[in-house]
């Protein structure tokens, strides 16, 4: 379902009332998987982005607008500038960023360096530096045990009564591939290799850092001068700083990054990281768990509520069967790579 002309008229009026801009043209953009994006041109010559968030319990507008506001107050120019928070429309208005996406297969060492620099700079911001209220990141975790619990929580969504709402394609795949048993077996192997104290060591408040979730190449724009802009903070907030590093490596959109470039990234990040050795020593452990988590991210993308969000964002272009087929292929590929290395 697309927004009506009346919906857009209400949006234009709200933008005028909040930022004093007169909207004269609008273009709905493709690419979002949860929300609707509109590029808006104003009579005053400004280009804005209106992001109409999917309405669920994840506080997407609060998270994204809060994190971007906090970063911009700290002088970051690597993120869009927040312009207006329209709570009544569940919409955020941001500066429109001109740039291009670069596939991770085409990343150079210069791209990797700039991404590492951004994360190190962001991780230099502590809770003591931010005066406004920013929530914890969505599905944040402060220990290895909490990460394991989150993965197992995703597994539970496919058991019991909830499984009856899954599509026939997904149910058939679960029966045939034994995905849940495989992930649980890999988790057990990880747990057996670590003592309880290490698994339960919880990150203190002082070491929490602002982090985006979904930190992949698709959420990065590159300006004509080569500078980086990072997009999509709707799941962002305070989190364990290693979470975003490992999510970057494991992300579906980062699969073009070679192992050599991963190590180069780690070297560049560590060279300027403000984090303590106590935090950084767990990097490899978090990297292992992120790989397992991504199997369940693919699985979760086939849950009915996620399919509903995709249908909302994609509109007439959405093909549910094709989406499920893609996720199944990715799960098979990920398991085939992980089983010999993590088990």
């Amino acid at each position: 379902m697309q927004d009506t002309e009346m919906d857009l008229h209400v949006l234009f009026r709200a933008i005028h009332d909040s930022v004093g801009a007169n909207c004269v043209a609008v273009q709905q953009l493709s690419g979002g998987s949860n929300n609707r994006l509109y590029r808006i041109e104003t009579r005053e010559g400004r280009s804005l982005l209106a992001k109409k968030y999917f309405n669920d319990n994840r506080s997407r507008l609060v998270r994204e607008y809060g994190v971007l506001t906090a970063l911009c107050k700290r002088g970051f120019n690597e993120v869009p500038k927040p312009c207006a928070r329209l709570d009544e429309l569940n919409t955020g208005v941001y500066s429109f960023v001109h740039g291009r996406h670069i596939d991770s297969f085409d990343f150079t060492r210069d791209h990797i360096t700039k991404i590492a620099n951004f994360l190190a700079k962001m991780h230099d911001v502590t809770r003591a530096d931010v005066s406004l209220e920013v929530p914890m990141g969505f599905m944040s975790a402060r220990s290895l045990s909490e990460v394991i619990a989150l993965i197992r929580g995703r597994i539970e969504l496919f058991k019991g009564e909830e499984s009856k709402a899954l599509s026939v394609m997904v149910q058939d795949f679960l029966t045939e591939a034994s995905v849940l048993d495989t992930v649980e077996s890999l988790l057990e192997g990880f747990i057996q290799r670590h003592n309880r104290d290490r698994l339960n060591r919880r990150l203190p408040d002082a070491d929490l850092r602002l982090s985006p979730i979904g930190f992949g190449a698709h959420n990065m724009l590159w300006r004509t001068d080569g500078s980086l802009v990072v997009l999509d903070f709707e799941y962002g907030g305070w989190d364990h700083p290693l979470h975003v590093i490992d999510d970057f490596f494991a992300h579906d959109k980062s699969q073009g990054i070679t192992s050599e470039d991963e190590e180069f990234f780690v070297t560049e990040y560590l060279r300027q990281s403000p984090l303590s050795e106590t935090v950084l020593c767990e990097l490899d452990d978090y990297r292992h768990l992120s790989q397992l988590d991504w199997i369940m991210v693919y699985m979760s993308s086939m849950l009915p509520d996620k399919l509903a969000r995709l249908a909302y964002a994609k509109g007439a272009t959405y093909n549910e069967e094709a989406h499920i087929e893609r996720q199944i292929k990715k799960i098979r590929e990920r398991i085939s790579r992980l089983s010999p290395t993590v088990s």
Side-chain angles (χ1 to χ4, degrees), residues 158 162-177 299 302 324 328:
F158 292 88
E162 292 86 351
S163 65
K164 296 178 181 178
L166 298 171
S167 73
V168 173
M169 281 181 69
V170 178
Q171 292 188 44
D172 289 347
F173 173 62
L174 281 173
T175 301
E176 175 260 324
M299 286 299 306
M302 299 185 287
I324 292 174
I328 289 175

Side-chain angles (χ1 to χ4, degrees), residues 40-330:
I40 295 173
E41 302 299 333
T42 71
R43 185 175 297 124
E44 295 77 18
R46 298 173 67 183
S47 293
L48 302 172
L49 179 82
K51 188 171 185 178
K52 187 173 183 180
Y53 296 88
F54 185 81
N55 192 16
D56 57 15
N57 63 351
R58 299 187 178 187
S59 304
R60 299 169 188 270
L61 170 59
V62 173
R63 294 179 190 282
E64 182 152 43
Y65 203 87
V67 173
L68 291 179
T69 299
L71 292 178
C72 286
K73 283 181 178 291
R74 298 286 299 177
F76 280 68
N77 61 4
E78 301 94 337
V79 297
K81 291 180 172 56
C83 301
R85 179 174 145 179
L86 309 176
D87 288 359
E88 67 281 7
L89 301 179
N90 200 29
T91 298
V93 182
Y94 308 96
S95 61
F96 184 86
V97 178
H98 296 271
R100 66 187 182 103
H101 291 287
I102 296 178
D103 193 281
S104 63
F105 286 92
D106 298 318
F107 277 170
T108 65
R109 287 290 172 91
D110 183 58
H111 295 123
I112 299 291
T113 298
K114 288 173 180 173
I115 295 168
N117 290 348
F118 170 77
L119 280 186
K121 179 180 176 182
M122 188 168 65
H123 287 167
D124 199 34
V125 180
T126 70
R127 296 185 88 171
D129 298 322
V130 177
S131 58
L132 59 102
E133 186 66 29
V134 176
M136 293 293 293
F138 181 72
M139 297 190 77
S140 58
R142 297 170 67 162
S143 69
L144 295 169
S145 290
E146 290 183 15
V147 177
I148 292 167
L150 288 174
I151 297 172
R152 283 179 164 162
R154 294 188 195 271
I155 292 174
E156 288 302 312
L157 294 175
F158 292 88
K159 296 181 178 180
E161 289 298 314
E162 292 86 351
S163 65
K164 296 178 181 178
L166 298 171
S167 73
V168 173
M169 281 181 69
V170 178
Q171 292 188 44
D172 289 347
F173 173 62
L174 281 173
T175 301
E176 175 260 324
S178 300
V179 176
L180 306 185
D181 290 341
T182 299
V183 174
E184 185 58 53
S185 174
L186 295 172
L187 281 175
E188 272 302 317
F190 181 90
I191 292 168
Q192 293 302 318
R193 295 193 300 274
H194 295 77
N195 65 53
R196 182 174 298 180
D197 287 345
R198 179 156 185 169
L199 292 173
N200 293 334
R201 187 163 59 212
R202 200 163 187 266
L203 190 77
D205 284 356
D207 287 330
L208 289 168
R209 295 294 187 270
L210 289 174
S211 289
I213 302 297
F215 192 63
H218 66 308
N219 283 328
M220 300 174 188
L221 285 179
W222 300 90
R223 298 185 180 102
T224 55
D225 64 1
S227 60
L228 168 67
V229 180
V230 178
L231 312 173
D232 197 358
F233 288 78
E234 66 187 74
Y235 288 161
W238 298 108
D239 199 355
H240 197 302
L242 298 184
H243 190 179
V244 65
I245 298 173
D246 303 322
D247 185 52
F248 175 57
F249 293 143
H251 201 286
D252 180 53
K253 301 301 183 182
S254 296
Q255 298 309 292
I257 300 174
T258 65
S259 57
E260 292 82 5
D261 281 342
E262 280 192 19
E263 295 313 312
F264 176 78
F265 173 95
V266 170
T267 300
E268 286 297 298
Y269 175 83
L270 293 180
R271 183 174 57 81
Q272 53 193 316
S273 173
L275 304 181
S276 69
E277 184 56 37
T278 304
V279 175
L280 292 171
C281 71
E282 295 182 324
L283 181 58
D284 286 343
D285 290 331
Y286 277 86
R287 287 171 76 173
H288 281 316
L289 290 178
S290 286
Q291 294 289 343
L292 290 175
D293 189 39
W294 262 91
I295 295 174
M296 293 313 302
V297 169
Y298 292 140
M299 286 299 306
S300 298
S301 74
M302 299 185 287
L303 289 167
D305 66 326
K306 175 60 177 177
L307 298 178
R309 294 199 298 273
L310 281 169
Y312 173 83
K314 302 293 185 183
T317 65
Y318 175 60
N319 183 323
E320 181 174 302
E321 183 173 329
H323 167 76
I324 292 174
E325 287 176 349
R326 286 193 298 272
Q327 304 316 300
I328 289 175
K329 180 181 178 181
K330 292 173 183 177

Side-chain angles (χ1 to χ4, degrees), residues 28-43:
Q28 185 165 359
L29 304 177
S30 61
S33 60
N34 294 305
N35 316 292
R36 293 180 182 167
L37 305 174
Y38 298 93
R39 177 178 177 175
I40 295 173
E41 302 299 333
T42 71
R43 185 175 297 124

